[in-house]
Amino acid sequence: MKHLDIVISGKVQRVSFRVSTKAVADLLGIKGIIKNMPDGTVYAEAEGSPYAIDSFLDWCKEGPENAVVENVVQSESELKNYRNFEVIKK
């Protein structure tokens, strides 16, 4: 199991980024959180198998149809043992 903190920048808010990312996470068996940040980025924490995490990162680099992802910064950190993947509203 692997834990990543991920910051996605570009046109990533108001394009259904969080909701579609949750659908992808659920499909891949990824657990964690995703939320919009005040600076216009999207922040996610993702936990799963190395293969699932790689696929999830590939998705984050593309995003949903109307998104324009400019940069994805990731860093590995300690497992938090999330139970599901949750969209944080505020």
Side-chain angles (χ1 to χ4, degrees), residues 6-13 17 39-43 60-61 68-73:
I6 306 164
V7 178
I8 304 132
S9 55
K11 184 184 170 197
V12 292
Q13 291 191 10
F17 203 99
D39 65 1
T41 62
V42 169
Y43 172 76
C60 289
K61 291 173 185 171
V68 180
V69 177
E70 291 170 2
N71 198 19
V72 176
V73 177

Side-chain angles (χ1 to χ4, degrees), residues 26-84:
D26 290 346
L27 203 64
L28 292 170
I30 297 283
K31 313 292 187 215
I33 60 160
I34 190 164
K35 63 183 178 177
N36 284 342
M37 300 303 285
D39 65 1
T41 62
V42 169
Y43 172 76
E45 292 185 13
E47 295 183 348
S49 72
Y51 173 79
I53 289 286
D54 287 346
S55 299
F56 184 75
L57 269 176
D58 288 344
W59 159 259
C60 289
K61 291 173 185 171
E62 294 295 318
E65 190 179 345
N66 293 321
V68 180
V69 177
E70 291 170 2
N71 198 19
V72 176
V73 177
Q74 76 216 38
S75 59
E76 218 172 313
S77 65
E78 305 255 334
L79 282 173
K80 294 187 181 174
N81 297 309
Y82 287 107
R83 291 193 191 161
N84 55 21

